[in-house]
């Protein structure tokens, strides 16, 4: 049974913790059927007790025209205190979809945004390249990371790739010129992003080697790009960095999000030789998200050893894994109780934060301005870094 076949019966599970678990397992997986996004949006509309969990975890799933129509209907019917969740999804739609639904979206996005997308999609090649260069220049002179500008740069990059304006040598050159620099510049980081959009698998060894660096933004893009390939070659080149890199969370996530047998076997082989307890728990999470019964001995060992992570809620992951796999465990009720106990406070804080970041003001212009550092602890109290929690 394939990964998606294991997931599908639980996609709309009445057990909210199970549904949350499978959505986390899908979050970085590139082959999710588009109609699943539609199903989840309709579920969020129909069952208000699930609305927050679904909307907080659906933004990385694929949206098509039908999904946009459902999203707009849901936005119009949303309670005021949930509007910001829909605002974030509208803001994150790809530019082509925004233009396709320009008439319906005009009450949520300013006219200047549509004019800008029109220029990027239909404008002459040279002015579009100049605009891309200008945004990268603005990013480089910011005193601190500007999330809004970075989001804008990725929108431009996506359109340029879709228009065929990025020749392969641009990716090759951008990566090569960064090799001897301590930190990647933004043109190099965006080249990593575009390599994924273009499915340029020949860069797998070079991209995997970047896990030897300590640059969160770069490694986030590297992880996303490598996971998008769903390749055993990725597993081969990434695995050596799990025990050697001070940034092990990234290569472990790549293996967890690469749904192949070789990835499962590699994670299993790495678990006993990893000394760091935090990394052991990350490997267990990655194995749980593979939904393989081959992971069970490793999962049981971690439970018996009582390994702890400061950035993961282990009982939530374990509960979801055992329930989806249909395996009984004497601690299931305890794990569920602890997870539910944390939820009320967690989502209350999360919504307070995001309602400030995604306000639906009278003009309903969507804006996001992080108020904490990307690597700071998330103010929602989850124990995760902001970028891995409310800052997604």
């Amino acid at each position: 049974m394939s990964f998606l076949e294991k997931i599908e019966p639980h996609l709309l599970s009445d057990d909210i913790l199970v549904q949350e678990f499978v959505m986390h397992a899908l979050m970085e997986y590139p082959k999710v059927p588009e109609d699943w996004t539609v199903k989840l949006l309709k579920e969020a509309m129909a069952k208000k007790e699930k609305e927050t969990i679904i909307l907080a975890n659906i933004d990385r799933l694929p949206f098509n025209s039908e999904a946009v129509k459902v999203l707009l209907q849901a936005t119009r019917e949303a309670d005021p205190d949930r509007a910001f969740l829909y605002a974030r999804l509208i803001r994150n739609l790809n530019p082509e979809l925004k233009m396709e639904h320009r008439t319906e979206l005009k009450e949520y996005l300013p006219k200047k945004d549509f004019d800008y997308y029109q220029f990027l999609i239909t404008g002459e090649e040279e002015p579009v390249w100049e605009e891309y260069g200008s945004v990268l220049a603005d990013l480089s002179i910011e005193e601190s990371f500007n999330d809004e500008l970075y989001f804008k740069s990725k929108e431009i990059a996506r359109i340029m790739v879709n228009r065929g304006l990025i020749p392969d040598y641009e990716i090759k050159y951008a990566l090569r010129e960064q090799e001897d620099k301590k930190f990647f510049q933004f043109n190099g980081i965006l080249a990593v992003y575009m390599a994924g959009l273009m499915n340029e698998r020949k860069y797998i060894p070079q991209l995997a080697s970047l896990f030897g660096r300590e640059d969160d933004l770069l490694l986030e893009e590297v992880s996303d790009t490598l996971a998008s390939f769903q390749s055993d070659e990725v597993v081969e080149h990434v695995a050596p960095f799990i025990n050697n890199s001070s940034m092990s969370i990234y290569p472990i996530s790549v293996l967890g999000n690469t749904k192949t047998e070789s990835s499962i076997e590699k994670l299993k082989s790495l678990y006993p030789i990893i000394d760091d307890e935090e990394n052991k728990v990350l490997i267990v999470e990655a194995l749980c998200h593979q939904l393989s019964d081959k992971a069970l001995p490793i999962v049981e060992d971690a439970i018996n050893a009582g390994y702890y992570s400061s950035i993961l809620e282990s009982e939530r992951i374990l509960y979801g894994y055992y329930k989806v796999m249909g395996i009984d465990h004497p601690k299931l009720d305890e794990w569920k109780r602890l997870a539910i106990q944390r939820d009320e406070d967690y989502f209350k804080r999360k919504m307070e934060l995001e309602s400030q970041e995604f306000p639906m003001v009278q003009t309903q212009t969507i804006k996001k301005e992080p108020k904490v550092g990307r690597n700071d602890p998330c103010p929602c109290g989850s124990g995760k870094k902001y970028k891995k929690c409310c800052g997604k």
Side-chain angles (χ1 to χ4, degrees):
M1 186 181 295
S2 71
F3 170 71
L4 289 177
E5 288 172 334
K6 293 175 184 176
I7 287 279
E8 188 167 17
H10 305 280
L11 185 69
L12 304 180
S13 173
D14 290 333
D15 188 327
I16 294 179
L17 293 178
V18 170
Q19 185 173 42
E20 181 184 42
F21 172 81
V22 299
M23 291 191 69
H24 284 176
L26 289 172
M27 194 172 292
E28 311 290 340
Y29 187 63
K31 299 181 180 181
V32 179
E34 291 179 346
D35 67 306
W36 286 19
T37 307
V38 175
K39 290 178 181 178
L40 285 164
L41 284 169
K42 290 181 177 179
E43 179 89 341
M45 290 175 63
K47 299 182 179 179
K48 292 299 183 181
E49 70 276 13
K50 290 184 170 189
E51 186 179 30
T52 299
I53 286 176
I54 291 175
L55 298 182
N57 291 287
I58 203 174
D59 54 321
R60 298 294 294 270
L61 301 190
F63 277 70
N64 59 15
S65 185
E66 184 181 1
V68 175
K69 292 176 182 177
V70 177
L71 174 60
L72 286 166
Q73 179 185 351
T75 303
R76 289 189 288 268
E77 298 175 5
D79 293 336
D81 64 345
R82 296 293 193 277
F84 69 93
L85 292 168
Y86 293 97
R88 181 173 67 175
L89 293 177
I90 290 173
R91 179 252 195 186
N92 288 343
L93 292 172
N94 72 57
E96 291 86 355
L97 272 177
K98 289 176 182 176
M99 289 300 294
E100 181 182 345
H101 295 273
R102 176 173 184 168
T103 301
E104 306 101 295
L105 288 170
K106 64 182 180 181
E107 63 179 299
Y108 302 108
L109 295 168
K111 180 180 181 298
K112 64 180 179 60
D113 283 8
F114 295 109
D115 294 341
Y116 186 66
Y117 295 142
Q118 186 69 41
F119 156 69
L120 295 175
I121 293 171
T122 63
E124 295 291 329
E125 180 175 347
E126 185 174 347
V128 172
W129 265 103
E130 289 175 354
E131 174 64 14
Y132 179 61
S134 174
V135 172
L136 292 183
D138 290 342
L139 268 171
S140 67
I141 62 175
E142 290 282 323
E143 292 185 2
S144 59
F145 178 75
N146 187 318
D147 181 80
E148 196 68 29
L149 267 181
Y150 188 66
F151 180 82
K152 184 177 181 179
S153 72
K154 293 182 74 170
E155 286 193 312
I156 301 172
R158 178 188 175 89
I159 291 172
M160 293 176 72
V161 167
N162 289 345
R163 289 186 59 183
L165 301 184
I166 307 293
D168 178 62
Y169 66 79
E170 290 287 349
I171 303 294
K172 183 178 180 180
Y173 175 76
L175 293 176
R176 180 183 295 172
E177 73 169 350
Q178 310 288 325
E179 288 178 343
D180 298 327
K181 295 178 179 178
K182 184 175 180 180
F183 293 102
F184 259 48
Q185 295 177 342
F186 285 106
N187 68 313
I189 296 174
L190 269 295
V192 171
Y193 171 65
M194 290 188 285
L197 295 177
M198 297 164 68
N199 198 30
E200 290 287 0
R201 295 171 180 243
K202 64 187 175 185
Y203 294 112
I204 287 174
Q206 186 176 2
L207 294 174
S209 72
L210 298 176
F211 284 128
R213 293 172 175 259
E214 297 186 9
D215 184 337
D216 276 326
L217 185 63
L218 168 65
L219 298 188
E220 287 172 21
E221 295 298 346
V222 171
S223 298
D224 287 348
T225 291
L226 290 175
S228 73
F229 296 139
Q230 293 296 300
S231 163
D232 288 340
E233 184 184 359
V234 167
V235 175
E236 174 189 349
H237 286 282
V238 167
F241 292 93
I242 289 179
N243 208 21
N244 297 329
S245 172
S246 61
M247 309 291 279
S248 294
I249 185 173
Y250 295 107
I252 292 173
S253 75
V254 172
L255 266 61
N257 292 317
T258 301
K259 311 300 183 183
T260 66
E261 287 298 315
S262 70
S263 185
I264 295 170
E265 293 302 321
K266 183 59 67 175
L267 286 165
K268 286 175 59 183
S269 69
L270 286 166
Y271 174 83
I273 64 175
I274 295 290
D275 296 324
D276 184 82
E277 184 173 326
E278 191 89 54
N279 287 337
K280 279 185 178 289
V281 177
L282 289 171
I283 288 176
V284 170
E285 179 199 32
L287 282 167
C288 286
H289 284 167
Q290 290 279 0
L291 297 179
S292 170
D293 54 7
K294 295 180 180 180
L296 191 58
I298 301 296
V299 176
E300 291 283 358
D301 181 81
I303 293 170
N304 294 332
Y307 291 136
Y308 169 79
S309 168
S310 63
I311 61 173
L312 295 174
E313 292 183 24
S314 297
E315 67 274 358
R316 187 180 297 270
I317 296 165
L318 296 171
Y319 177 82
Y321 172 73
Y322 277 88
K323 292 294 286 187
V324 171
M325 298 300 294
I327 303 171
D328 194 21
H329 194 283
K331 290 189 175 181
L332 276 175
D333 289 341
E334 178 185 348
W335 292 334
K336 185 173 185 176
R337 178 181 58 80
L338 288 171
I340 292 176
Q341 185 177 315
R342 287 182 175 140
D343 274 348
E344 183 175 352
D345 184 56
Y346 173 82
F347 283 110
K348 180 180 178 181
R349 294 185 184 184
K350 184 180 179 73
M351 290 180 66
E352 287 174 352
L353 175 70
E354 293 196 351
S355 63
Q356 297 173 18
E357 292 181 352
F358 294 92
M360 279 288 195
V361 296
Q362 188 171 6
T363 59
Q364 298 197 335
T365 298
I366 298 169
K367 186 178 181 181
K368 179 184 179 187
E369 296 179 356
K371 295 174 175 59
V372 294
R374 292 167 56 76
N375 290 305
D376 293 341
C378 188
C380 77
S382 67
K384 301 178 184 180
K385 289 184 177 181
Y386 176 72
K387 68 185 179 188
K388 291 293 181 182
C389 189
C390 297
K392 285 183 178 180

